Amino acid sequence: MDDYRMLMEDVEEVIGFCEKSGKKAVNGETGTFTGHMQVGYMTYWVEYMPAEDGRYKVVNVYGHRMRIVE
């Protein structure tokens, strides 16, 4: 994340959005969730899973300078 100047706050915001809105996909084989959200000019994609302590473990994160029109 540091190499691409991604902030943990942005990743946390994406996970919060995905959990609140339900806009996420689940990988049936791994149990991870994947969701996205636009933050500024970037769209962040986060793959994550629930952790035992009630928080979330980030598995993968990436971003593109793009806008998704739904």
Side-chain angles (χ1 to χ4, degrees):
M1 286 178 36
D2 291 337
D3 291 344
Y4 297 103
R5 296 190 170 103
M6 293 181 177
L7 300 175
M8 183 53 78
E9 292 83 10
D10 292 338
V11 173
E12 291 169 348
E13 187 177 357
V14 174
I15 293 173
F17 169 77
C18 294
E19 289 298 306
K20 186 175 180 179
S21 69
K23 293 185 176 187
K24 59 186 177 181
V26 64
N27 182 323
E29 293 180 16
T30 64
T32 60
F33 298 106
T34 302
H36 71 278
M37 184 179 114
Q38 185 173 340
V39 179
Y41 293 106
M42 295 290 291
T43 297
Y44 291 104
W45 297 82
V46 181
E47 181 182 5
Y48 64 97
M49 62 190 318
E52 292 180 13
D53 61 2
R55 299 187 311 179
Y56 296 96
K57 176 183 176 186
V58 175
V59 177
N60 195 9
V61 60
Y62 50 98
H64 297 282
R65 189 172 219 163
M66 62 182 280
R67 180 176 163 196
I68 298 175
V69 180
E70 296 184 36

